[in-house]
Amino acid sequence: MTIRRYPPILDGHNDSLIKLYLSGYKGHKAFLNGGGKNHLDLPRIKHGGFGGGFFAVFVPSDDEPPEHPGANLNDNGISYDIPLTKPVNPARALEMTIIEMAALFRLADESNGKIKVVRTTREVEACLKNGTIAAILHMEGAEAIDTELNALYVFAEAGLRSVGITWSRSNAFGFGVPFKFPQSPDTGPGLTDIGVRLVKACNSLGIIVDLAHINEQGFWDTARITQAPLVVTHTGVHAICPSSRNLTDKQLDAVGESGGVVGINFHVGFLRADGRLNPDTPIHEIVRHICYVADKIGIDHVAFGSDFDGATIPKDLKDVAGLPKLMSALEKAGFDDEALVKISHENWIRIFKQTWKDQNCQ
């Protein structure tokens, strides 16, 4: 029996670094050798055809809820309203960011060449070709960056290639979108003056600006000033699942018009029409969001943004080893080989070529 081989997958978001931070060296060993309880480790990565992706540096809030929004629904079973968490102390954010970045560098060093922290498009393409895991350093929330942006330049030299302006809280640069259902993402003010400077500096340095957790006004503020394609690394379709974290049709249109990419989140609470945190959600719900974006703004503008290690994903998918099931479901939904290549990695590669500095793509 011939086993179908799908193209390698570049993924828009995972939270493995915070898992490593919380578990210490045991987490490193489990990631490299397998046997852990998280969504990602090297043995399952290889089995699932995961070629790499955005490894997020994330600093939890001191008052962050112990359970994900949607875990405790209201009595009517279809709504929740989680207020924004308090801003993070910048000094604490900087300390944790350095530790998590170092964890990724150490993981690559300990992997015997199986993981590479990539800084150029050519490196990403080479990794996909030779089977090395391409780790793209991403910051989910810019709290570790000072208001003079000095740290941004240092992080860029260290390999930072993508920055989310906010997580779902406010900071010096803008206002995150709270976790609410059902709710529009239009929940407050947008970028601050310093946030405008951050976007422009990222453009200058060739760093992707990620709009996954920012509110709608911040999205439009960024769209007006950025010189790069709009990127939302892990989100869903608001018309299907009216979560505040998902994109409206108008936002989707803006991403498409800019030449950008939407990474579809696998979190069931952002997939289901009822917003429930139910792991028995079928894989087809992911396919439905991908189909919607592809039909609305084109196959060139949709990709994966799993949120592995930071989400409740469909039980049938289970973890990274289940990605061939998702590829098979997309194939059965009518996506041909050319479309599967675009969704799996080619659309992300195009964004890198358009956003990262020219010298980084040689």
Side-chain angles (χ1 to χ4, degrees), residues 12-15 17 53-58 97 100-101 104 135-141 159-165 208-213 233-234:
H13 188 88
N14 74 68
D15 281 306
L17 295 182
F54 293 62
F55 281 68
V57 172
F58 171 65
T97 294
E100 289 183 44
M101 286 184 173
L104 181 59
I136 298 157
L137 186 55
H138 167 74
M139 186 179 290
E140 187 175 30
L160 184 67
R161 291 295 176 266
S162 177
V163 171
I165 300 172
I208 292 168
V209 175
D210 175 28
L211 300 172
H213 277 272
T233 58
H234 58 303

PDB file of all heavy atoms in Angstrom, residues 12-15 17 53-58 97 100-101 104 135-141 159-165 208-213 233-234:
ATOM      1  N   GLY A  12       1.927  28.702  11.238  1.00  0.00           N
ATOM      2  CA  GLY A  12       1.998  30.098  11.654  1.00  0.00           C
ATOM      3  C   GLY A  12       2.154  30.361  13.131  1.00  0.00           C
ATOM      4  O   GLY A  12       2.457  31.500  13.517  1.00  0.00           O
ATOM      5  N   HIS A  13       1.949  29.324  13.992  1.00  0.00           N
ATOM      6  CA  HIS A  13       2.065  29.620  15.425  1.00  0.00           C
ATOM      7  C   HIS A  13       2.099  28.349  16.259  1.00  0.00           C
ATOM      8  O   HIS A  13       1.276  27.454  16.089  1.00  0.00           O
ATOM      9  CB  HIS A  13       0.863  30.458  15.894  1.00  0.00           C
ATOM     10  CG  HIS A  13       0.992  30.973  17.294  1.00  0.00           C
ATOM     11  ND1 HIS A  13       1.608  32.167  17.584  1.00  0.00           N
ATOM     12  CD2 HIS A  13       0.609  30.464  18.483  1.00  0.00           C
ATOM     13  CE1 HIS A  13       1.581  32.368  18.892  1.00  0.00           C
ATOM     14  NE2 HIS A  13       0.990  31.332  19.463  1.00  0.00           N
ATOM     15  N   ASN A  14       3.051  28.299  17.186  1.00  0.00           N
ATOM     16  CA  ASN A  14       2.992  27.324  18.275  1.00  0.00           C
ATOM     17  C   ASN A  14       3.503  27.976  19.560  1.00  0.00           C
ATOM     18  O   ASN A  14       4.234  28.967  19.521  1.00  0.00           O
ATOM     19  CB  ASN A  14       3.774  26.036  17.947  1.00  0.00           C
ATOM     20  CG  ASN A  14       5.272  26.208  17.999  1.00  0.00           C
ATOM     21  OD1 ASN A  14       5.848  26.415  19.069  1.00  0.00           O
ATOM     22  ND2 ASN A  14       5.932  26.126  16.839  1.00  0.00           N
ATOM     23  N   ASP A  15       3.102  27.405  20.678  1.00  0.00           N
ATOM     24  CA  ASP A  15       3.466  27.928  22.001  1.00  0.00           C
ATOM     25  C   ASP A  15       4.391  26.984  22.752  1.00  0.00           C
ATOM     26  O   ASP A  15       4.384  26.939  23.989  1.00  0.00           O
ATOM     27  CB  ASP A  15       2.205  28.181  22.831  1.00  0.00           C
ATOM     28  CG  ASP A  15       1.511  29.476  22.457  1.00  0.00           C
ATOM     29  OD1 ASP A  15       2.177  30.525  22.471  1.00  0.00           O
ATOM     30  OD2 ASP A  15       0.308  29.447  22.146  1.00  0.00           O
ATOM     31  N   LEU A  17       7.550  27.144  23.297  1.00  0.00           N
ATOM     32  CA  LEU A  17       8.608  27.760  24.107  1.00  0.00           C
ATOM     33  C   LEU A  17       8.148  28.045  25.530  1.00  0.00           C
ATOM     34  O   LEU A  17       8.930  27.877  26.474  1.00  0.00           O
ATOM     35  CB  LEU A  17       9.123  29.040  23.441  1.00  0.00           C
ATOM     36  CG  LEU A  17       9.825  28.864  22.092  1.00  0.00           C
ATOM     37  CD1 LEU A  17      10.334  30.203  21.574  1.00  0.00           C
ATOM     38  CD2 LEU A  17      10.969  27.863  22.198  1.00  0.00           C
ATOM     39  N   GLY A  53       7.977  26.336  11.586  1.00  0.00           N
ATOM     40  CA  GLY A  53       6.982  27.375  11.769  1.00  0.00           C
ATOM     41  C   GLY A  53       7.418  28.441  12.756  1.00  0.00           C
ATOM     42  O   GLY A  53       8.587  28.505  13.149  1.00  0.00           O
ATOM     43  N   PHE A  54       6.457  29.254  13.148  1.00  0.00           N
ATOM     44  CA  PHE A  54       6.689  30.371  14.053  1.00  0.00           C
ATOM     45  C   PHE A  54       6.672  29.856  15.487  1.00  0.00           C
ATOM     46  O   PHE A  54       5.630  29.406  15.977  1.00  0.00           O
ATOM     47  CB  PHE A  54       5.597  31.423  13.886  1.00  0.00           C
ATOM     48  CG  PHE A  54       5.579  32.144  12.564  1.00  0.00           C
ATOM     49  CD1 PHE A  54       5.368  31.464  11.369  1.00  0.00           C
ATOM     50  CD2 PHE A  54       5.756  33.522  12.513  1.00  0.00           C
ATOM     51  CE1 PHE A  54       5.324  32.125  10.152  1.00  0.00           C
ATOM     52  CE2 PHE A  54       5.717  34.206  11.302  1.00  0.00           C
ATOM     53  CZ  PHE A  54       5.501  33.503  10.116  1.00  0.00           C
ATOM     54  N   PHE A  55       7.810  29.930  16.166  1.00  0.00           N
ATOM     55  CA  PHE A  55       7.917  29.538  17.571  1.00  0.00           C
ATOM     56  C   PHE A  55       7.757  30.808  18.408  1.00  0.00           C
ATOM     57  O   PHE A  55       8.610  31.697  18.381  1.00  0.00           O
ATOM     58  CB  PHE A  55       9.257  28.867  17.845  1.00  0.00           C
ATOM     59  CG  PHE A  55       9.329  27.425  17.412  1.00  0.00           C
ATOM     60  CD1 PHE A  55       9.299  27.088  16.066  1.00  0.00           C
ATOM     61  CD2 PHE A  55       9.406  26.403  18.345  1.00  0.00           C
ATOM     62  CE1 PHE A  55       9.350  25.756  15.651  1.00  0.00           C
ATOM     63  CE2 PHE A  55       9.461  25.069  17.948  1.00  0.00           C
ATOM     64  CZ  PHE A  55       9.434  24.748  16.603  1.00  0.00           C
ATOM     65  N   ALA A  56       6.655  30.889  19.126  1.00  0.00           N
ATOM     66  CA  ALA A  56       6.284  32.126  19.808  1.00  0.00           C
ATOM     67  C   ALA A  56       6.934  32.257  21.169  1.00  0.00           C
ATOM     68  O   ALA A  56       6.914  31.318  21.970  1.00  0.00           O
ATOM     69  CB  ALA A  56       4.768  32.202  19.952  1.00  0.00           C
ATOM     70  N   VAL A  57       7.482  33.422  21.430  1.00  0.00           N
ATOM     71  CA  VAL A  57       7.892  33.819  22.772  1.00  0.00           C
ATOM     72  C   VAL A  57       6.699  34.522  23.408  1.00  0.00           C
ATOM     73  O   VAL A  57       6.215  35.533  22.895  1.00  0.00           O
ATOM     74  CB  VAL A  57       9.105  34.767  22.727  1.00  0.00           C
ATOM     75  CG1 VAL A  57       9.401  35.317  24.112  1.00  0.00           C
ATOM     76  CG2 VAL A  57      10.314  34.070  22.145  1.00  0.00           C
ATOM     77  N   PHE A  58       6.188  33.967  24.497  1.00  0.00           N
ATOM     78  CA  PHE A  58       4.990  34.498  25.126  1.00  0.00           C
ATOM     79  C   PHE A  58       5.217  34.675  26.624  1.00  0.00           C
ATOM     80  O   PHE A  58       5.734  33.779  27.288  1.00  0.00           O
ATOM     81  CB  PHE A  58       3.805  33.550  24.902  1.00  0.00           C
ATOM     82  CG  PHE A  58       2.583  33.909  25.693  1.00  0.00           C
ATOM     83  CD1 PHE A  58       1.908  35.088  25.448  1.00  0.00           C
ATOM     84  CD2 PHE A  58       2.120  33.067  26.705  1.00  0.00           C
ATOM     85  CE1 PHE A  58       0.784  35.431  26.195  1.00  0.00           C
ATOM     86  CE2 PHE A  58       0.997  33.405  27.451  1.00  0.00           C
ATOM     87  CZ  PHE A  58       0.328  34.592  27.190  1.00  0.00           C
ATOM     88  N   THR A  97      11.456  36.803  28.051  1.00  0.00           N
ATOM     89  CA  THR A  97      11.693  36.732  26.608  1.00  0.00           C
ATOM     90  C   THR A  97      13.095  36.225  26.315  1.00  0.00           C
ATOM     91  O   THR A  97      13.294  35.352  25.448  1.00  0.00           O
ATOM     92  CB  THR A  97      11.468  38.112  25.966  1.00  0.00           C
ATOM     93  OG1 THR A  97      10.081  38.460  26.093  1.00  0.00           O
ATOM     94  CG2 THR A  97      11.869  38.124  24.507  1.00  0.00           C
ATOM     95  N   GLU A 100      13.213  32.474  27.075  1.00  0.00           N
ATOM     96  CA  GLU A 100      12.537  31.648  26.076  1.00  0.00           C
ATOM     97  C   GLU A 100      13.296  31.626  24.751  1.00  0.00           C
ATOM     98  O   GLU A 100      13.360  30.602  24.069  1.00  0.00           O
ATOM     99  CB  GLU A 100      11.103  32.133  25.878  1.00  0.00           C
ATOM    100  CG  GLU A 100      10.208  31.839  27.073  1.00  0.00           C
ATOM    101  CD  GLU A 100       8.768  32.244  26.848  1.00  0.00           C
ATOM    102  OE1 GLU A 100       8.235  31.956  25.747  1.00  0.00           O
ATOM    103  OE2 GLU A 100       8.171  32.855  27.754  1.00  0.00           O
ATOM    104  N   MET A 101      13.864  32.757  24.367  1.00  0.00           N
ATOM    105  CA  MET A 101      14.686  32.772  23.155  1.00  0.00           C
ATOM    106  C   MET A 101      15.885  31.841  23.321  1.00  0.00           C
ATOM    107  O   MET A 101      16.224  31.059  22.416  1.00  0.00           O
ATOM    108  CB  MET A 101      15.159  34.197  22.844  1.00  0.00           C
ATOM    109  CG  MET A 101      14.085  35.102  22.292  1.00  0.00           C
ATOM    110  SD  MET A 101      14.775  36.723  21.856  1.00  0.00           S
ATOM    111  CE  MET A 101      13.360  37.489  21.064  1.00  0.00           C
ATOM    112  N   LEU A 104      15.027  28.243  22.789  1.00  0.00           N
ATOM    113  CA  LEU A 104      14.969  27.818  21.388  1.00  0.00           C
ATOM    114  C   LEU A 104      16.361  27.607  20.816  1.00  0.00           C
ATOM    115  O   LEU A 104      16.617  26.615  20.120  1.00  0.00           O
ATOM    116  CB  LEU A 104      14.217  28.862  20.558  1.00  0.00           C
ATOM    117  CG  LEU A 104      14.062  28.523  19.073  1.00  0.00           C
ATOM    118  CD1 LEU A 104      13.312  27.213  18.878  1.00  0.00           C
ATOM    119  CD2 LEU A 104      13.356  29.662  18.330  1.00  0.00           C
ATOM    120  N   ALA A 135      12.805  26.766  12.500  1.00  0.00           N
ATOM    121  CA  ALA A 135      12.203  27.477  13.630  1.00  0.00           C
ATOM    122  C   ALA A 135      12.320  28.981  13.402  1.00  0.00           C
ATOM    123  O   ALA A 135      13.425  29.524  13.340  1.00  0.00           O
ATOM    124  CB  ALA A 135      12.888  27.086  14.932  1.00  0.00           C
ATOM    125  N   ILE A 136      11.183  29.644  13.250  1.00  0.00           N
ATOM    126  CA  ILE A 136      11.132  31.091  13.036  1.00  0.00           C
ATOM    127  C   ILE A 136      10.840  31.746  14.381  1.00  0.00           C
ATOM    128  O   ILE A 136       9.832  31.442  15.026  1.00  0.00           O
ATOM    129  CB  ILE A 136      10.040  31.449  12.007  1.00  0.00           C
ATOM    130  CG1 ILE A 136      10.356  30.801  10.650  1.00  0.00           C
ATOM    131  CG2 ILE A 136       9.893  32.961  11.867  1.00  0.00           C
ATOM    132  CD1 ILE A 136       9.147  30.627   9.767  1.00  0.00           C
ATOM    133  N   LEU A 137      11.715  32.636  14.793  1.00  0.00           N
ATOM    134  CA  LEU A 137      11.578  33.278  16.102  1.00  0.00           C
ATOM    135  C   LEU A 137      10.532  34.390  16.034  1.00  0.00           C
ATOM    136  O   LEU A 137      10.656  35.345  15.259  1.00  0.00           O
ATOM    137  CB  LEU A 137      12.927  33.837  16.543  1.00  0.00           C
ATOM    138  CG  LEU A 137      13.021  34.416  17.948  1.00  0.00           C
ATOM    139  CD1 LEU A 137      12.570  33.415  19.002  1.00  0.00           C
ATOM    140  CD2 LEU A 137      14.455  34.859  18.234  1.00  0.00           C
ATOM    141  N   HIS A 138       9.499  34.241  16.843  1.00  0.00           N
ATOM    142  CA  HIS A 138       8.354  35.147  16.842  1.00  0.00           C
ATOM    143  C   HIS A 138       8.089  35.637  18.265  1.00  0.00           C
ATOM    144  O   HIS A 138       8.276  34.897  19.235  1.00  0.00           O
ATOM    145  CB  HIS A 138       7.120  34.412  16.306  1.00  0.00           C
ATOM    146  CG  HIS A 138       5.819  35.120  16.542  1.00  0.00           C
ATOM    147  ND1 HIS A 138       5.441  36.234  15.831  1.00  0.00           N
ATOM    148  CD2 HIS A 138       4.791  34.869  17.409  1.00  0.00           C
ATOM    149  CE1 HIS A 138       4.246  36.638  16.241  1.00  0.00           C
ATOM    150  NE2 HIS A 138       3.834  35.830  17.204  1.00  0.00           N
ATOM    151  N   MET A 139       7.644  36.872  18.388  1.00  0.00           N
ATOM    152  CA  MET A 139       7.302  37.442  19.692  1.00  0.00           C
ATOM    153  C   MET A 139       5.799  37.702  19.727  1.00  0.00           C
ATOM    154  O   MET A 139       5.276  38.465  18.917  1.00  0.00           O
ATOM    155  CB  MET A 139       8.085  38.741  19.910  1.00  0.00           C
ATOM    156  CG  MET A 139       7.937  39.351  21.282  1.00  0.00           C
ATOM    157  SD  MET A 139       8.919  40.873  21.428  1.00  0.00           S
ATOM    158  CE  MET A 139      10.579  40.187  21.416  1.00  0.00           C
ATOM    159  N   GLU A 140       5.093  37.055  20.661  1.00  0.00           N
ATOM    160  CA  GLU A 140       3.637  37.208  20.781  1.00  0.00           C
ATOM    161  C   GLU A 140       3.338  38.237  21.868  1.00  0.00           C
ATOM    162  O   GLU A 140       3.183  37.917  23.041  1.00  0.00           O
ATOM    163  CB  GLU A 140       2.987  35.868  21.106  1.00  0.00           C
ATOM    164  CG  GLU A 140       1.469  35.936  21.079  1.00  0.00           C
ATOM    165  CD  GLU A 140       0.810  34.583  21.279  1.00  0.00           C
ATOM    166  OE1 GLU A 140       1.402  33.722  21.968  1.00  0.00           O
ATOM    167  OE2 GLU A 140      -0.282  34.382  20.748  1.00  0.00           O
ATOM    168  N   GLY A 141       3.248  39.481  21.443  1.00  0.00           N
ATOM    169  CA  GLY A 141       3.140  40.590  22.382  1.00  0.00           C
ATOM    170  C   GLY A 141       4.496  41.252  22.527  1.00  0.00           C
ATOM    171  O   GLY A 141       5.492  40.591  22.798  1.00  0.00           O
ATOM    172  N   GLY A 159      17.841  37.250  15.556  1.00  0.00           N
ATOM    173  CA  GLY A 159      17.067  36.352  14.707  1.00  0.00           C
ATOM    174  C   GLY A 159      15.569  36.549  14.749  1.00  0.00           C
ATOM    175  O   GLY A 159      14.832  35.780  14.125  1.00  0.00           O
ATOM    176  N   LEU A 160      15.080  37.553  15.473  1.00  0.00           N
ATOM    177  CA  LEU A 160      13.643  37.804  15.520  1.00  0.00           C
ATOM    178  C   LEU A 160      13.154  38.180  14.131  1.00  0.00           C
ATOM    179  O   LEU A 160      13.666  39.102  13.498  1.00  0.00           O
ATOM    180  CB  LEU A 160      13.346  38.946  16.495  1.00  0.00           C
ATOM    181  CG  LEU A 160      11.863  39.266  16.722  1.00  0.00           C
ATOM    182  CD1 LEU A 160      11.160  38.119  17.433  1.00  0.00           C
ATOM    183  CD2 LEU A 160      11.721  40.565  17.515  1.00  0.00           C
ATOM    184  N   ARG A 161      12.110  37.458  13.655  1.00  0.00           N
ATOM    185  CA  ARG A 161      11.607  37.700  12.304  1.00  0.00           C
ATOM    186  C   ARG A 161      10.114  37.985  12.266  1.00  0.00           C
ATOM    187  O   ARG A 161       9.562  38.213  11.190  1.00  0.00           O
ATOM    188  CB  ARG A 161      11.922  36.504  11.396  1.00  0.00           C
ATOM    189  CG  ARG A 161      13.404  36.328  11.097  1.00  0.00           C
ATOM    190  CD  ARG A 161      13.950  37.502  10.294  1.00  0.00           C
ATOM    191  NE  ARG A 161      15.394  37.408  10.059  1.00  0.00           N
ATOM    192  CZ  ARG A 161      16.311  37.971  10.816  1.00  0.00           C
ATOM    193  NH1 ARG A 161      15.954  38.671  11.894  1.00  0.00           N
ATOM    194  NH2 ARG A 161      17.595  37.862  10.514  1.00  0.00           N
ATOM    195  N   SER A 162       9.459  37.984  13.420  1.00  0.00           N
ATOM    196  CA  SER A 162       8.022  38.269  13.464  1.00  0.00           C
ATOM    197  C   SER A 162       7.653  38.790  14.842  1.00  0.00           C
ATOM    198  O   SER A 162       8.118  38.244  15.847  1.00  0.00           O
ATOM    199  CB  SER A 162       7.223  36.997  13.146  1.00  0.00           C
ATOM    200  OG  SER A 162       5.838  37.218  13.245  1.00  0.00           O
ATOM    201  N   VAL A 163       6.812  39.835  14.881  1.00  0.00           N
ATOM    202  CA  VAL A 163       6.392  40.448  16.142  1.00  0.00           C
ATOM    203  C   VAL A 163       4.884  40.639  16.137  1.00  0.00           C
ATOM    204  O   VAL A 163       4.333  41.274  15.223  1.00  0.00           O
ATOM    205  CB  VAL A 163       7.070  41.813  16.367  1.00  0.00           C
ATOM    206  CG1 VAL A 163       6.457  42.527  17.572  1.00  0.00           C
ATOM    207  CG2 VAL A 163       8.563  41.652  16.566  1.00  0.00           C
ATOM    208  N   GLY A 164       4.224  40.102  17.142  1.00  0.00           N
ATOM    209  CA  GLY A 164       2.829  40.439  17.392  1.00  0.00           C
ATOM    210  C   GLY A 164       2.786  41.677  18.267  1.00  0.00           C
ATOM    211  O   GLY A 164       3.361  41.686  19.365  1.00  0.00           O
ATOM    212  N   ILE A 165       2.139  42.726  17.813  1.00  0.00           N
ATOM    213  CA  ILE A 165       2.133  43.989  18.556  1.00  0.00           C
ATOM    214  C   ILE A 165       1.592  43.785  19.962  1.00  0.00           C
ATOM    215  O   ILE A 165       2.151  44.279  20.943  1.00  0.00           O
ATOM    216  CB  ILE A 165       1.306  45.045  17.800  1.00  0.00           C
ATOM    217  CG1 ILE A 165       1.897  45.288  16.411  1.00  0.00           C
ATOM    218  CG2 ILE A 165       1.259  46.349  18.593  1.00  0.00           C
ATOM    219  CD1 ILE A 165       1.028  46.167  15.534  1.00  0.00           C
ATOM    220  N   ILE A 208       8.149  40.740  10.224  1.00  0.00           N
ATOM    221  CA  ILE A 208       6.706  40.608  10.031  1.00  0.00           C
ATOM    222  C   ILE A 208       5.969  41.219  11.213  1.00  0.00           C
ATOM    223  O   ILE A 208       6.355  41.022  12.371  1.00  0.00           O
ATOM    224  CB  ILE A 208       6.324  39.124   9.884  1.00  0.00           C
ATOM    225  CG1 ILE A 208       6.873  38.561   8.562  1.00  0.00           C
ATOM    226  CG2 ILE A 208       4.816  38.917   9.963  1.00  0.00           C
ATOM    227  CD1 ILE A 208       6.796  37.049   8.468  1.00  0.00           C
ATOM    228  N   VAL A 209       4.901  41.953  10.938  1.00  0.00           N
ATOM    229  CA  VAL A 209       4.018  42.466  11.977  1.00  0.00           C
ATOM    230  C   VAL A 209       2.779  41.567  12.014  1.00  0.00           C
ATOM    231  O   VAL A 209       2.029  41.491  11.043  1.00  0.00           O
ATOM    232  CB  VAL A 209       3.601  43.926  11.703  1.00  0.00           C
ATOM    233  CG1 VAL A 209       2.584  44.398  12.737  1.00  0.00           C
ATOM    234  CG2 VAL A 209       4.828  44.839  11.697  1.00  0.00           C
ATOM    235  N   ASP A 210       2.594  40.870  13.120  1.00  0.00           N
ATOM    236  CA  ASP A 210       1.488  39.923  13.269  1.00  0.00           C
ATOM    237  C   ASP A 210       0.309  40.599  13.956  1.00  0.00           C
ATOM    238  O   ASP A 210       0.462  41.207  15.016  1.00  0.00           O
ATOM    239  CB  ASP A 210       1.962  38.709  14.074  1.00  0.00           C
ATOM    240  CG  ASP A 210       0.847  37.728  14.371  1.00  0.00           C
ATOM    241  OD1 ASP A 210      -0.115  37.667  13.574  1.00  0.00           O
ATOM    242  OD2 ASP A 210       0.944  37.013  15.377  1.00  0.00           O
ATOM    243  N   LEU A 211      -0.879  40.462  13.368  1.00  0.00           N
ATOM    244  CA  LEU A 211      -2.075  41.124  13.878  1.00  0.00           C
ATOM    245  C   LEU A 211      -3.050  40.146  14.524  1.00  0.00           C
ATOM    246  O   LEU A 211      -4.243  40.418  14.607  1.00  0.00           O
ATOM    247  CB  LEU A 211      -2.759  41.878  12.727  1.00  0.00           C
ATOM    248  CG  LEU A 211      -1.881  42.958  12.081  1.00  0.00           C
ATOM    249  CD1 LEU A 211      -2.548  43.509  10.824  1.00  0.00           C
ATOM    250  CD2 LEU A 211      -1.595  44.079  13.059  1.00  0.00           C
ATOM    251  N   ALA A 212      -2.549  39.024  15.025  1.00  0.00           N
ATOM    252  CA  ALA A 212      -3.428  37.972  15.521  1.00  0.00           C
ATOM    253  C   ALA A 212      -4.224  38.371  16.758  1.00  0.00           C
ATOM    254  O   ALA A 212      -5.382  37.986  16.885  1.00  0.00           O
ATOM    255  CB  ALA A 212      -2.628  36.707  15.818  1.00  0.00           C
ATOM    256  N   HIS A 213      -3.649  39.100  17.673  1.00  0.00           N
ATOM    257  CA  HIS A 213      -4.320  39.373  18.954  1.00  0.00           C
ATOM    258  C   HIS A 213      -4.694  40.835  19.134  1.00  0.00           C
ATOM    259  O   HIS A 213      -5.173  41.202  20.204  1.00  0.00           O
ATOM    260  CB  HIS A 213      -3.428  38.942  20.117  1.00  0.00           C
ATOM    261  CG  HIS A 213      -3.493  37.485  20.456  1.00  0.00           C
ATOM    262  ND1 HIS A 213      -4.414  36.959  21.329  1.00  0.00           N
ATOM    263  CD2 HIS A 213      -2.751  36.445  20.019  1.00  0.00           C
ATOM    264  CE1 HIS A 213      -4.232  35.651  21.436  1.00  0.00           C
ATOM    265  NE2 HIS A 213      -3.222  35.314  20.651  1.00  0.00           N
ATOM    266  N   THR A 233      -1.273  35.503  12.025  1.00  0.00           N
ATOM    267  CA  THR A 233      -0.654  34.185  12.060  1.00  0.00           C
ATOM    268  C   THR A 233      -1.578  33.072  12.535  1.00  0.00           C
ATOM    269  O   THR A 233      -1.450  31.930  12.100  1.00  0.00           O
ATOM    270  CB  THR A 233       0.591  34.179  12.973  1.00  0.00           C
ATOM    271  OG1 THR A 233       0.200  34.589  14.304  1.00  0.00           O
ATOM    272  CG2 THR A 233       1.681  35.074  12.421  1.00  0.00           C
ATOM    273  N   HIS A 234      -2.525  33.373  13.437  1.00  0.00           N
ATOM    274  CA  HIS A 234      -3.406  32.321  13.951  1.00  0.00           C
ATOM    275  C   HIS A 234      -4.734  32.929  14.367  1.00  0.00           C
ATOM    276  O   HIS A 234      -4.845  33.608  15.378  1.00  0.00           O
ATOM    277  CB  HIS A 234      -2.747  31.542  15.094  1.00  0.00           C
ATOM    278  CG  HIS A 234      -2.313  32.340  16.275  1.00  0.00           C
ATOM    279  ND1 HIS A 234      -1.433  33.397  16.191  1.00  0.00           N
ATOM    280  CD2 HIS A 234      -2.632  32.232  17.600  1.00  0.00           C
ATOM    281  CE1 HIS A 234      -1.223  33.898  17.399  1.00  0.00           C
ATOM    282  NE2 HIS A 234      -1.956  33.224  18.267  1.00  0.00           N
TER     283      HIS A 234
END
